[in-house]
Amino acid sequence: VYTDARTGGTINGANETDDGIKEIGGYVHSVTRLSPKFDIVSALRIDKNSRLESAVLSPRVGVVFKLTPDQNLRFTYNRSFSTPSDNNLFLDIVAGAAGPYSVRALGVPAEGFHFRAGGGCAGGVGNLCMRTPFVPTAGLLPANAAALWQVAIGFLLQSPLVPTALKPLLQSIPAPTTQVATVLRALNPTTAAFAEVTPDQVRDIDRLKPTISNSFEAGYKAIFNSKFKLAIDAWYEHKRNFVGPLIVETPNVFLDPATLGAYLASKGVPTQALSGLVTSMAGIPLGTVVPNDGGKLTQRPDIFLTYRNFGTVNIFGSDLALDYIASDRFSVSGTYSWVNKDFFPQSEVGGLTDVALNAAKSKGSATFRFRNDRQGWGSELRFRAVAGFPVNSGVYVGKTDGYGVVDLGGTYRPPVGARNLLLAVNVANLFNHGYATFVGVPQLGRLVLTKVSYTF
C-alpha cells in the first residue's frame, strides 16, 4: 500500500513534498479443532512501514470451549499495533494564536525534536534554548528572560496603566544579570492561560514508534431457553509506546515574579507601584523554548503542539450485553461498558502535561422493541447514558459533562400491495436535551432522520 497525502500545503505544510508512506505485510490464520468442545484459533500478521525502523509482528491465539451447544467460554491473547498516522508524522499547520505567537501543530519528523542537543544553550534555564518574536534577527538564544529585559520595559513604557512620572525611572534601570530568574509556563490552548512547569519537564521527543498492545480477554456467551442471551467480557490491556494526543511541548519564558520584585525595589521603584509593575512584566511571554537541533519545523518562535510516545499504560475493563425475547412481538436489550481509567497524570506518563483517554469510563444503554409483522410495523425506544470524562487533545482541554438521552424509532412496511416499500423514522434525543460529546464541539439537540427504501 502506498499512501500519498496531498494537502496542497494546508495540513502538512513544510512536509508536503515528503509525506509518502509505503506499507507491505502478510497474514496467516488457522482454526484447529482439538475435540468437539475445544477449538484453537490462531493468527500471525507482519507489517513493514517505510516510516518505521523495523517490521512489526502481531500474533493472536484464542481457545474456545463449548460448554453446551448454547454456551461457550473464550480465552484470547492478542498482540496488536497501531502505526503512527499521517498527522502524527507530517502535520504542520497553524492552529491558532496567542498574542504575537502562532500556535502550531506539528508531526514528529524521523529525527525527532531535541531541546539540548550538543549540550543545549549555556546560560539558559536548564540549558534550554528559545526564540523570540520581539527580536526576529536574534536567532537561537539561551532561555533567559532577563536577556529580553528591554523588551519587557518597552511594553511598560507603552502601557497607559504605568504612571508617566515613573517611566523615566524604568528606562534608567539596567538589565539584570543574575538578579532576576527565569520561569517557564506552558500554554493551555483552551483557556489561553499559562501554567508553570519545571525545566526538567521539557524532554526530548524521539522518532515515533508503533504503539504495541498486549491484551488478554475472557468471554462468556450463552442462550437460555431460546429467549435470553448473555454476553460478558473482561479484558486487560498493556500498551507500550502509547502515542498521546497533541500536547503543548514548548513552554514560554517569563521573568520570575519574586526576584523581579526584589530587583525593581532595589532600584528605587516605589512600593505602591511595585505590585502592578511586577504583575505586568512577569506576565509577558518573552520567548518560546524550542528544540536546538536545527530541524526545519522549529526555526520560528511558535508555540508548538506535537505527539510523543509514552512509556506504558495499563488499563482493564469489562463489557456486558443482555437480550431478552419476551414474545414474537416484544424484546428488551441492554449494554454496559466500563474501563478503570480515563486519566493518566503526568507523574505516570511523563512530559509537560497529563494524558486523557478522551473517552468515558462507563456508558450503557437499554432498548425496548415492539413489532407487529402482520400489520407491518415496528418501534424501538432506547435510553443511552455516557459518563463525563476529561479531555486533552490538541487545543481541546477540559472535561465533558455526562448525559442521558432517549431515542425513538419506527418502521412501516405495507402488509399488502407494496411489500417492497419500507418507511422509517428515527428521532435521536427525543426530548431535545442539549449535550456535547467532546470539549470544543457544539451541543447536540434533537435529530430527526427519515428513510424511504424500495427493494427490487
Side-chain angles (χ1 to χ4, degrees):
V1 177
Y2 178 66
T3 304
D4 180 18
R6 299 179 182 179
T7 73
T10 59
I11 298 175
N12 288 353
N15 295 314
E16 186 67 34
T17 59
D18 183 25
D19 56 3
I21 299 175
K22 297 177 182 177
E23 296 175 278
I24 188 170
Y27 177 84
V28 293
H29 174 84
S30 73
V31 178
T32 304
R33 174 157 291 185
L34 299 179
S35 74
K37 290 194 172 186
F38 277 99
D39 289 342
I40 293 182
V41 181
S42 57
L44 179 65
R45 172 174 171 166
I46 183 170
D47 294 83
K48 179 66 177 75
N49 184 299
S50 62
R51 296 290 176 166
L52 303 179
E53 292 186 281
S54 57
V56 183
L57 285 172
S58 304
R60 176 184 176 88
V61 61
V63 177
V64 180
F65 177 48
K66 299 176 183 177
L67 299 170
T68 69
D70 293 329
Q71 300 181 57
N72 68 60
L73 285 171
R74 182 182 72 257
F75 301 94
T76 305
Y77 164 74
N78 186 57
R79 183 181 189 268
S80 60
F81 74 97
S82 176
T83 304
S85 67
D86 185 89
N87 279 353
N88 295 157
L89 298 170
F90 307 119
L91 188 64
D92 178 19
I93 188 171
V94 174
Y101 297 92
S102 292
V103 179
R104 185 175 293 269
L106 297 177
V108 181
E111 61 273 15
F113 297 116
H114 301 94
F115 293 92
R116 301 174 181 85
C121 290
V125 59
N127 286 337
L128 295 167
C129 307
M130 71 175 179
R131 293 182 185 273
T132 177
F134 304 113
V135 191
T137 59
L140 205 61
L141 298 169
N144 177 11
L148 296 171
W149 177 262
Q150 295 304 327
V151 172
I153 291 294
F155 273 95
L156 293 184
L157 297 179
Q158 297 171 23
S159 173
L161 300 178
V162 177
T164 303
L166 191 58
K167 291 181 179 180
L169 173 61
L170 295 175
Q171 284 182 297
S172 68
I173 297 176
T177 52
T178 59
Q179 300 94 327
V180 178
T182 297
V183 294
L184 304 179
R185 300 189 187 113
L187 176 71
N188 179 325
T190 301
T191 63
F194 288 88
E196 192 163 325
V197 298
T198 57
D200 61 285
Q201 290 177 276
V202 182
R203 300 185 297 114
D204 290 350
I205 302 167
D206 295 325
R207 178 178 185 171
L208 290 181
K209 302 174 183 177
T211 299
I212 304 297
S213 298
N214 289 281
S215 59
F216 300 86
E217 181 186 11
Y220 172 73
K221 287 186 177 181
I223 301 175
F224 301 100
N225 298 324
S226 300
K227 287 181 174 293
F228 182 68
K229 298 179 182 179
L230 169 67
I232 184 169
D233 297 276
W235 54 269
Y236 167 84
E237 186 172 25
H238 173 83
K239 282 183 177 287
R240 177 164 51 89
N241 296 325
F242 172 75
V243 178
L246 280 169
I247 293 173
V248 171
E249 293 282 0
T250 52
N252 287 87
V253 174
F254 294 81
L255 294 165
D256 170 56
T259 53
L260 173 62
Y263 182 69
L264 290 176
S266 72
K267 299 302 178 182
V269 174
T271 304
Q272 62 270 24
L274 197 58
S275 177
L277 291 178
V278 169
T279 300
S280 297
M281 292 184 72
I284 302 170
L286 295 169
T288 306
V289 169
V290 294
N292 69 325
D293 53 0
K296 66 180 180 180
L297 299 173
T298 59
Q299 301 299 306
R300 299 162 291 219
D302 297 345
I303 299 169
F304 77 73
L305 305 91
T306 192
Y307 308 90
R308 70 159 67 236
N309 287 116
F310 294 94
T312 59
V313 174
N314 298 296
I315 54 176
F316 57 87
S318 62
D319 302 287
L320 175 68
L322 305 169
D323 286 278
Y324 178 66
I325 302 173
S327 68
D328 60 352
R329 292 189 176 187
F330 181 68
S331 64
V332 181
S333 64
T335 64
Y336 180 73
S337 296
W338 172 82
V339 62
N340 72 310
K341 281 186 177 183
D342 60 8
F343 182 77
F344 306 92
Q346 65 183 57
S347 59
E348 182 177 336
V349 297
L352 286 182
T353 188
D354 307 313
V355 173
L357 184 65
N358 293 333
K361 286 180 66 174
S362 61
K363 57 184 177 181
S365 68
T367 305
F368 304 88
R369 299 182 183 90
F370 191 86
R371 54 188 292 176
N372 188 326
D373 293 336
R374 178 174 297 181
Q375 295 184 8
W377 62 271
S379 61
E380 178 179 291
L381 180 68
R382 180 175 59 175
F383 173 74
R384 50 192 171 93
V386 178
F389 56 91
V391 170
N392 191 342
S393 180
V395 298
Y396 304 111
V397 181
K399 190 178 188 304
T400 69
D401 295 323
Y403 63 89
V405 295
V406 175
D407 304 327
L408 179 64
T411 61
Y412 177 70
R413 189 185 297 275
V416 293
R419 293 291 295 170
N420 292 342
L421 177 67
L422 178 67
L423 308 176
V425 61
N426 183 68
V427 183
N429 192 5
L430 178 65
F431 299 111
N432 200 31
H433 170 71
Y435 68 95
T437 58
F438 208 74
V439 170
V441 302
Q443 286 200 334
L444 298 176
R446 183 186 297 116
L447 176 65
V448 180
L449 297 175
T450 58
K451 181 174 73 172
V452 179
S453 63
Y454 189 87
T455 304
F456 294 94

